[in-house]
């Protein structure tokens, strides 16, 4: 597997991957993502900013992750362990349903941690949907601490917020 910065030529393949993820999420009873989010416009913006990374294997994109410093306003109310910044945010981690169980998410998270360390970030922060128990278990198993919860309009449940303080 190879990880690289995504480019605008990847947009079609990425939106198709997300559509497959949404279908699986909804079949499993999760309303975390839908046809409104993350949409083509959101992903296109990530690609233009150079913040979306893809993991490739078997001649195709197996997963994506967005890494940037953008934190929702609601994050100001979280009791963070690492106050001093800068902080790197993980957004929109997605693995093609056909590639799940192959370590793709772990590879993207490990890449994110290395990227953050190289960039001088003090911590990694993210949120995930409360119904996404597999993701919560994965993050906590990799040393991410639960720091609180945020809520987004139109979602049935909250989004636990996690943080991993990085040691140089």
């Amino acid at each position: 597997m190879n990880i690289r910065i995504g480019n605008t030529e990847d947009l079609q393949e990425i939106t198709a991957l997300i559509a497959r993820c949404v279908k699986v999420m909804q079949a499993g009873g999760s309303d975390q993502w839908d046809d409104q989010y993350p949409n083509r416009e959101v992903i296109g913006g990530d690609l233009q900013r150079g913040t979306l990374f893809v993991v490739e294997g078997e001649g195709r994109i197996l997963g994506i992750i967005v890494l940037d410093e953008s934190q929702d306003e609601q994050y100001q109310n979280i009791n963070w362990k690492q106050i001093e910044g800068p902080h790197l945010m993980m957004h929109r981690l997605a693995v093609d349903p056909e590639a799940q169980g192959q370590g793709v998410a772990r590879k993207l998270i490990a890449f994110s941690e290395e990227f953050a360390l190289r960039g001088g970030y003090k911590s990694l922060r993210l949120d995930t949907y409360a119904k996404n128990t597999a993701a919560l278990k994965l993050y906590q198993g990799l040393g991410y601490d639960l720091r609180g919860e945020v809520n987004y309009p139109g979602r049935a449940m909250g989004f636990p917020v996690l943080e991993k303080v990085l040691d140089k």
Side-chain angles (χ1 to χ4, degrees):
M1 286 186 267
N2 175 51
I3 297 179
R4 64 170 173 81
I5 294 178
N7 57 58
T8 53
E9 291 80 39
D10 297 323
L11 183 59
Q12 190 72 28
E13 188 175 355
I14 292 168
T15 54
L17 180 151
I18 289 171
R20 289 190 296 276
C21 289
V22 167
K23 191 174 183 178
V24 169
M25 284 177 182
Q26 290 178 341
S30 175
D31 62 337
Q32 179 176 0
W33 287 357
D34 54 28
D35 58 353
Q36 300 299 309
Y37 179 86
N39 60 30
R40 234 179 133 72
E41 186 178 303
V42 169
I43 298 301
D46 294 334
L47 290 168
Q48 287 179 338
R49 285 185 295 279
T51 58
L52 187 147
F53 295 84
V54 300
V55 58
E56 295 176 308
E58 306 160 15
R60 63 189 179 93
I61 295 174
L62 302 176
I64 65 164
I65 195 165
V66 174
L67 301 173
D68 64 25
E69 295 181 13
S70 175
Q71 296 186 66
D72 287 330
E73 249 180 63
Q74 298 178 34
Y75 276 48
Q76 293 174 11
N77 300 322
I78 300 296
N79 181 22
W80 298 110
K81 190 172 185 179
Q82 179 65 43
I83 304 301
E84 184 183 324
H87 310 284
L88 186 64
M89 300 296 302
M90 283 195 279
H91 308 279
R92 295 182 275 292
L93 171 63
V95 176
D96 192 318
E98 296 171 11
Q100 289 178 0
Q102 299 175 20
V104 176
R106 284 179 183 272
K107 182 144 180 107
L108 284 166
I109 294 167
F111 169 81
S112 301
E113 292 173 7
E114 292 166 20
F115 182 88
L117 283 168
R118 283 195 314 271
Y121 291 94
K122 305 289 185 188
S123 73
L124 267 165
R125 296 175 174 177
L126 65 112
D127 62 60
T128 191
Y129 201 39
K131 287 186 180 182
N132 194 342
T133 54
L136 282 167
K137 184 178 176 184
L138 173 64
Y139 289 124
Q140 289 179 302
L142 293 173
Y144 288 77
D145 296 320
L146 190 57
R147 303 304 304 168
E149 187 173 282
V150 295
N151 293 288
Y152 293 107
R155 297 298 178 249
M157 296 181 76
F159 288 73
V161 178
L162 298 109
E163 175 185 38
K164 185 171 188 176
V165 175
L166 301 171
D167 298 319
K168 301 251 177 204

